[in-house]
Each structure stands twice: as C-alpha cells, then as structure tokens.
Amino acid sequence: MLTDTILEDDRWQQAGLDALAETAALATLRHLGLPPDRFGIAVLGCDDMRIATLNADFRGKPQPTNVLSWPEEDLTPPHPGAPPPAPHTREALTQESDEPRHLGDIAIAYDTCATEAQAQDKPFSAHVTHLIVHGVLHLLGYDHIRDADATLMERLETEILGILGIPDPYG
C-alpha cells in the first residue's frame, strides 16, 4: 500500500478514508509517472480540534483547516510555473531495500471537509479525494502561492480527478 492511514476520528472509518486516500494517492503518482510501489505516505484522519493544533504548531495559524501536508523533502521549483523535480526517483527505483521512500505526511479534518462539501454541494467522498490529491501534490513540491504555480497545480488536480470520474473542483 502506498498510504498508511491513521484514524484519530472514528467518523473517518465510516467515510472510508483508507480507500479514498489510497485511490487518490495512487492516481496522483501514476499521473505524474512516479512508481507508487516505491513510495509511502502517512495520512492522519482527524477532527477540527486536532488539525487546529497542528495548524498552530506548524503554520502559526490557530484555526482549523481542511488539509495539511509535510513533505519529507523540499522539491519547490525555482521558477514560477515550473514542475518540481521528481523525489529522488532514481534512488527510489534502484534501492535494494523493499522499504518505500517516505514522501511525507498529510492530515485531513473531518469537520471542515464535511462543512465544505455541504457548502459546495459536492459529495463528501469527492471532496476528500480532491483534498488528498491536493495534499499529495504538495508533498511532491507543487504549490499555489505564486499564480503560475497555482495554475499548474489546479490543472493537475483537475486532470487527476477527471481520471477518477470527479468533476473539476474549480469549474
């Protein structure tokens, strides 16, 4: 499995976060031409209280958010709109160990996701899948701070979600 899901909030069990995270992460890596079997991602399914604490600790923003990500390695491209370099793909492909290379960690908050899905009139599973794709792209060095980077990231999200049969979240 590409993803290792830790559920701190039981509602994620009922929502099927394990399967949603695995599907979204696999689709993202495959779309980018990365071999999923050589990588690993930890996904934490939590509530708003926990993600607010994480957001305060790591970003200085003491409020809940939908998803947070912590990449194992900084792959930020130097030029706006350029794709990030692959995460040591050569090493990951040639290593003798069966141990996959850890790309990073993602945390996702049930309460905020449910509120956003309802407000946007989207199925909860589609919204969660989008947020996991978004988080995986962050682990791979994609971002949306600079306009050109946001355009690239949103295009990739739309393409990946389209492959999964989920409508364009930005349309």
Side-chain angles (χ1 to χ4, degrees), residues 1-7 16-30 35-45 99-108 128-129 131-133 135-137 139:
M1 297 247 327
L2 169 60
T3 56
D4 179 20
T5 307
I6 301 124
L7 304 178
L17 181 59
D18 287 340
L20 293 173
E22 185 72 8
T23 299
L26 284 170
T28 303
L29 290 176
R30 287 180 179 146
D37 62 327
R38 303 310 291 160
F39 298 100
I41 298 167
V43 178
L44 172 67
E99 194 67 31
R101 176 177 292 282
H102 187 67
L103 288 177
D105 304 329
I106 295 171
I108 187 163
V128 169
T129 299
L131 292 173
I132 296 293
V133 167
V136 172
L137 287 172
L139 297 181

Side-chain angles (χ1 to χ4, degrees), residues 22-133:
E22 185 72 8
T23 299
L26 284 170
T28 303
L29 290 176
R30 287 180 179 146
H31 187 70
L32 296 172
L34 296 170
D37 62 327
R38 303 310 291 160
F39 298 100
I41 298 167
V43 178
L44 172 67
C46 60
D47 62 15
D48 271 7
M49 186 181 303
R50 174 76 158 130
I51 210 160
T53 300
L54 292 169
N55 205 16
D57 290 349
F58 291 97
R59 297 178 63 221
K61 297 179 179 185
Q63 67 261 0
T65 188
N66 51 19
V67 67
L68 293 170
S69 58
W70 296 270
E72 189 70 16
E73 142 182 47
D74 183 4
L75 297 170
T76 304
H79 305 292
H88 294 290
T89 304
R90 170 181 260 165
E91 289 176 27
L93 288 171
T94 60
Q95 61 182 316
E96 295 295 323
S97 169
D98 288 337
E99 194 67 31
R101 176 177 292 282
H102 187 67
L103 288 177
D105 304 329
I106 295 171
I108 187 163
Y110 188 92
D111 308 288
T112 297
C113 290
T115 300
E116 289 174 349
Q118 185 175 21
Q120 297 170 23
D121 197 28
K122 294 179 180 176
F124 182 75
S125 61
H127 188 54
V128 169
T129 299
H130 174 211
L131 292 173
I132 296 293
V133 167

Side-chain angles (χ1 to χ4, degrees), residues 104-170:
D105 304 329
I106 295 171
I108 187 163
Y110 188 92
D111 308 288
T112 297
C113 290
T115 300
E116 289 174 349
Q118 185 175 21
Q120 297 170 23
D121 197 28
K122 294 179 180 176
F124 182 75
S125 61
H127 188 54
V128 169
T129 299
H130 174 211
L131 292 173
I132 296 293
V133 167
H134 185 87
V136 172
L137 287 172
H138 275 308
L139 297 181
L140 294 168
Y142 292 89
D143 210 340
H144 44 82
I145 295 172
R146 303 179 294 194
D147 288 344
D149 294 333
T151 299
L152 174 62
M153 187 171 181
E154 289 173 12
R155 179 180 56 80
L156 287 170
E157 289 174 19
T158 300
E159 290 170 2
I160 295 162
L161 293 171
I163 291 166
L164 296 172
I166 297 173
D168 179 354
Y170 301 106

